[in-house]
Amino acid sequence: MAEDKTDNIEWLRSRGIEVETPDDRKKQENLLSSLKSLQVGDAETTSFSYVYIAADDSVPLQLETAVLPKSLNTGDQLPLLLKEKFSQGSVDETALRKTAEKHFVGNMTAAPELAKKLTPQAIAGQGGSVEVFKLGEEVNLYLDAVGALKQLPRNNRATAFASKCGFGEVPFFG
């Protein structure tokens, strides 16, 4: 049975589907813990900057710096680094239920079993969830994937930024 799960996960990953297992989350927690002590200029590290856009319009944009070991300097590492920041807050149970009902219309046979598993506590147990919204070549917005379910405030600056990039009024929360 465990071998079947591993084969299924590898099959999905080989087709570009992101799958995160409890073991993956534990490895990420350990990695993030080790990264906290790194500083700009440390041997065998690299750094990059990104802009934090708070939902509160009175908070100025903030230039943040991330430091990574050179061995991790492949691909987009921001989802991993931001995951902890997006773990704050809790999913509203009513909003979660309403969203699940919308998505399972026409497939109500699976809904009761999934509803038992899809709880605010289960989502919180996964740590933060980062969604990457591509605005252009090498320009992304990173948002709390369940920000709307957490009933976070609308981020008008991020929404305006996406609109100026041609995406209309895509609402971002948090």
Side-chain angles (χ1 to χ4, degrees), residues 22 29 34 40 47 58 78 81 86 102 104 106 114 122 137 140 145 148:
E29 286 174 22
S34 70
V40 174
S47 62
S58 69
L78 265 176
L81 297 171
F86 294 147
K102 275 198 294 188
F104 292 113
L114 187 58
E137 198 60 39
N140 299 322

Side-chain angles (χ1 to χ4, degrees), residues 56-75:
D56 182 347
D57 292 341
S58 69
V59 175
L61 300 178
Q62 297 171 16
L63 187 62
E64 304 278 337
T65 301
V67 182
L68 295 168
K70 286 184 179 177
S71 61
L72 271 183
N73 194 24
T74 58

Side-chain angles (χ1 to χ4, degrees), residues 24-54:
D24 294 333
R25 284 192 286 279
K26 188 65 177 164
K27 287 177 187 171
Q28 286 179 354
E29 286 174 22
N30 292 339
L31 175 61
L32 284 173
S33 183
S34 70
L35 295 178
K36 288 180 181 178
S37 63
L38 296 179
Q39 296 184 7
V40 174
D42 285 351
E44 296 301 312
T45 64
T46 187
S47 62
F48 63 93
S49 298
Y50 60 97
V51 178
Y52 171 70
I53 305 171

Side-chain angles (χ1 to χ4, degrees), residues 88-103:
Q88 300 166 358
S90 59
V91 170
D92 179 77
E93 192 163 359
T94 303
L96 178 61
R97 186 174 29 79
K98 285 180 182 179
T99 301
E101 287 171 0
K102 275 198 294 188
H103 287 284

